[in-house]
Amino acid sequence: MPYKDFSALNATTRLAELAGIPYDLTRPDALNVDRFKTLKSSACGFDLLFATERLDEAVLDALQELADEAKLVEQFMAMKRGAVLNRIEGYAGEERQVLHTASRDVFTEEPQAPEATTKAKQELEKLRLFLDDLAQGRLVNAKGESFTTLVQVGIGGSDLGPRAISLALQAYTLPGREARFIANVDPDDTAAVLAGLDLSRSLFVIVSKSGTTLETLTNEELVRSALTQAGLEPKQHLLAVTGEGGPMDDTGRYLASFYMYDYIGGRYSATSMVGAVTLGFTLGYGALMEFLRGAWEMDVVGEKVDIRSNLPLLMALIGIWNRNFLGCPTCAILPYSQALSRFPAHLQQCDMESNGKSVTRQGRAVDWKTGPIIWGEPGTNGQHAFYQLIHQGTEIIPAEFIGFRRNQRGLDIEVSKTTSQEKLVVNMLAQSLALAQGKEDDNPARRFPGNRPNLVLIAEQLTPCQMGALLALYEHRIAFQGFCWNINSFDQEGVQLGKVLATKLLHIVAHSGTKGQGATVATSVEEVLLEQAGILR
Ligand code: G6Q
């Protein structure tokens, strides 16, 4: 499929014209009932309320033209069917298919990429049997006791998504089960996680697609040595999730191994075995499948051509409107749900590693803006922290609020005639309106300029299925934006240079003869850095 550059798309001219006078949200009648009714789109249990964005029907029509002209849905379908999209024409690269959707296309008789889905089904079946062995007491520790804890050891894509989702769904954890995570090569991270653990009743799943990641391999050794010191046989406690045939694919070292495939990028791997093993352990196989079903349902929504009913595409285009036409450099993800506290961190990786690019899929420099800076924290906490800048700072920061009408755990209290959940949701809606409308005041310090674009995503409750849909919604939003910007959203060359230099420096430190403990190491590393500054050139 021939790709057009973003700036060569005709619709961008019309959008640039419209951006000259964007919808004024501060006008007295700007936010009327009709607008709230019309600028709303729903799918998979989510309502997307976008009346508080600086757009109108004319902008939406132009965004539809943009989507059609850039063939965004066609590209999405090509992705789902296994086109080799992870590539830069004429240059060396990963040259891979992009098939994370295949890991959940297991609910239909006609999967889009049958071969990849068959493999996904095989791994799911392997996991189901493994979980069954645990549940039925066929798989126990040396003393015949059940395993209570699963520690996921992995980093980047092998950590952030699974960790965020596991935290989000903690309320649904099976009795007597828990998950923990180790990512950083900082030994204190591992030490802190191991500190409170009964190692004899813990399993560790070492997750590394490549099987070569420094942090993960180092932490695996730390875990192995802790198990040995506790008088336990490491192999009886270690599982692996890795690429088939890769360096970690070694049944002699692990109790069980699960596979992921090179056509699933790390940051898109939460619905593969990378996330499934831990989620299956804590939630059970049934809830894991509900999570996958939610993602699959959103995958299907992503196929719709009409932007008003394709939630991920609509969000992608609203993001492009804010980024490329209203000139906003960042986007805040603000979940009004403590359970989603790590979800912004996951999206930060998924979005910034995918769309933090400045060359096209033909290897030319882009002359338009690509991915924004993604960040965020849960509300209402953020209201007492950084919202000041969002309301009155000099940068316009589009905000995406995510909330739920009902809480997960049932515990709540009515104080001053409203429940805590009501307070949470009302605060979210109040922030959305305040950012949009602003407020005049004679006192300039108390003036709120308004016209700060934002949207609200709201669903009934954060269930496993709803979490799956939310995950896929953002995954596809990111992919659609990358397609539109004509960049390769699926490689991550930008993380290589630092890794290569660290490896060189570690080699030097290992052979420098000045190795020691604590401050001595720090000093020698600094010296080496100074001495070896030439490596950078
Ligand atoms: C994600 C990236 C990156 C990767 C980690 C871990 O898309 O590729 O974050 O997930 O570097 O890689 P391994 O799973 O190979 O250890």
Side-chain angles (χ1 to χ4, degrees):
M1 190 182 304
Y3 304 125
K4 268 192 172 177
D5 278 353
F6 179 73
S7 54
L9 295 166
N10 296 328
T12 58
T13 312
R14 174 79 185 124
L15 284 160
E17 271 166 32
L18 291 167
I21 20 155
Y23 189 81
D24 184 0
L25 297 164
T26 65
R27 278 197 344 253
D29 62 338
L31 291 170
N32 52 56
V33 175
D34 267 0
R35 184 172 165 89
F36 276 106
K37 278 190 185 153
T38 328
L39 299 185
K40 174 182 170 186
S41 181
S42 306
C44 303
F46 277 109
D47 292 328
L48 173 68
L49 316 177
F50 58 104
T52 43
E53 292 286 347
R54 297 200 67 187
L55 48 73
D56 54 17
E57 292 295 335
V59 172
L60 281 177
D61 289 345
L63 289 173
Q64 178 76 62
E65 280 169 35
L66 183 72
D68 296 342
E69 194 184 351
K71 300 188 170 34
L72 299 186
V73 174
E74 278 178 47
Q75 294 191 56
F76 180 71
M77 292 310 297
M79 179 185 90
K80 286 179 89 170
R81 291 189 186 121
V84 178
L85 295 182
N86 180 358
R87 65 189 298 261
I88 305 281
E89 284 166 34
Y91 294 90
E94 293 190 318
E95 296 291 330
R96 288 176 182 166
Q97 296 167 294
V98 180
L99 278 175
H100 45 284
T101 46
S103 63
R104 56 251 189 171
D105 207 6
V106 296
F107 301 95
T108 167
E109 292 299 306
E110 292 175 353
Q112 302 280 345
E115 219 176 297
T117 295
T118 300
K119 285 187 175 170
K121 280 185 176 170
Q122 283 165 358
E123 291 309 303
L124 278 169
E125 181 57 9
K126 210 196 289 179
L127 178 61
R128 190 185 68 77
L129 295 173
F130 176 78
L131 295 173
D132 209 40
D133 283 348
L134 285 174
Q136 300 304 321
R138 289 189 292 269
L139 197 61
V140 287
N141 72 4
K143 287 196 229 153
E145 299 161 322
S146 60
F147 290 104
T148 56
T149 306
L150 184 67
V151 184
Q152 175 147 351
V153 182
I155 197 164
S158 294
D159 168 67
L160 285 157
R163 190 193 291 248
I165 296 157
S166 177
L167 203 56
L169 299 178
Q170 219 171 37
Y172 304 92
T173 303
L174 296 173
R177 295 270 174 96
E178 64 162 349
R180 301 200 188 183
F181 292 84
I182 296 172
N184 204 327
V185 74
D186 179 347
D188 287 344
D189 188 19
T190 309
V193 173
L194 296 184
L197 278 189
D198 178 352
L199 289 176
S200 72
R201 300 189 71 178
S202 301
L203 288 170
F204 295 83
V205 59
I206 315 298
V207 183
S208 178
K209 181 165 102 171
S210 61
T212 59
T213 302
L214 169 101
E215 291 90 337
T216 305
L217 297 186
T218 307
N219 281 327
E220 177 180 349
E221 288 313 311
L222 207 46
V223 166
R224 281 182 184 274
S225 104
L227 288 164
T228 309
Q229 277 173 31
L232 301 163
E233 169 54 51
K235 194 193 157 180
Q236 298 309 316
H237 293 261
L238 263 72
L239 316 172
V241 174
T242 194
E244 192 171 10
M248 260 176 58
D249 185 8
D250 177 356
T251 45
R253 290 168 65 205
Y254 303 101
L255 183 61
S257 293
F258 300 92
Y259 294 131
M260 66 175 303
Y261 298 91
D262 69 1
Y263 47 72
I264 300 186
R267 54 194 174 273
Y268 295 95
S269 66
T271 53
S272 75
M273 285 300 116
V274 168
V277 173
T278 300
L279 292 171
F281 179 85
T282 51
L283 306 176
Y285 189 75
L288 167 68
M289 293 309 283
E290 277 306 294
F291 164 67
L292 295 184
R293 177 182 286 280
W296 174 73
E297 284 172 358
M298 191 59 86
D299 297 345
V300 176
V301 171
E303 299 179 4
K304 293 178 192 283
V305 171
D306 174 9
I307 66 165
R308 288 166 175 84
S309 47
N310 183 333
L311 229 54
L313 179 56
L314 180 57
M315 280 183 68
L317 292 164
I318 292 174
I320 285 176
W321 171 247
N322 287 331
R323 177 80 178 117
N324 298 95
F325 300 99
L326 302 186
C328 303
T330 105
C331 174
I333 313 283
L334 308 170
Y336 275 62
S337 156
Q338 195 56 31
L340 287 176
S341 60
R342 289 299 288 167
F343 192 56
H346 167 60
L347 294 183
Q348 191 170 60
Q349 177 194 31
C350 204
D351 200 317
M352 291 170 74
E353 204 166 55
S354 297
N355 290 341
K357 309 285 165 65
S358 48
V359 293
T360 66
R361 286 178 283 189
Q362 294 75 37
R364 295 186 304 267
V366 297
D367 63 358
W368 53 93
K369 296 287 183 193
T370 61
I373 298 158
I374 302 288
W375 59 284
E377 281 285 325
T380 60
N381 300 16
Q383 293 176 204
H384 300 264
F386 53 83
Y387 278 36
Q388 165 65 42
L389 189 148
I390 308 187
H391 281 285
Q392 291 185 316
T394 49
E395 285 297 350
I396 304 290
I397 299 177
E400 298 186 355
F401 295 99
I402 306 171
F404 302 91
R405 296 181 189 95
R406 281 168 50 211
N407 63 340
Q408 287 178 315
R409 295 177 188 258
L411 177 72
D412 203 345
I413 189 165
E414 202 172 282
V415 175
S416 308
K417 296 194 177 155
T418 57
T419 64
S420 299
Q421 186 65 24
E422 283 165 345
K423 290 180 177 73
L424 181 67
V425 176
V426 164
N427 263 280
M428 175 178 78
L429 298 176
Q431 290 296 328
S432 165
L433 283 178
L435 286 166
Q437 280 178 334
K439 180 175 119 3
E440 276 306 329
D441 201 299
D442 292 342
N443 178 344
R446 292 186 176 162
R447 189 179 162 261
F448 289 77
N451 271 329
R452 313 248 151 171
N454 68 84
L455 56 79
V456 174
L457 256 180
I458 188 160
E460 192 58 20
Q461 195 178 32
L462 183 55
T463 58
C465 183
Q466 207 65 61
M467 184 65 234
L470 181 64
L471 176 79
L473 170 63
Y474 273 95
E475 286 178 351
H476 303 333
R477 189 234 340 220
I478 293 164
F480 277 128
Q481 290 190 336
F483 296 149
C484 197
W485 286 323
N486 188 23
I487 54 176
N488 178 4
S489 300
F490 308 108
D491 65 1
Q492 53 285 316
E493 297 294 346
V495 303
Q496 289 308 326
L497 179 60
K499 252 195 229 175
V500 170
L501 288 178
T503 307
K504 283 187 185 172
L505 289 171
L506 282 170
H507 182 79
I508 293 162
V509 171
H511 299 93
S512 68
T514 55
K515 281 174 62 64
Q517 287 293 314
T520 323
V521 172
T523 315
S524 71
V525 170
E526 280 155 23
E527 282 167 8
V528 167
L529 274 170
L530 285 174
E531 277 173 26
Q532 299 297 326
I535 293 175
L536 292 166
R537 290 188 287 273

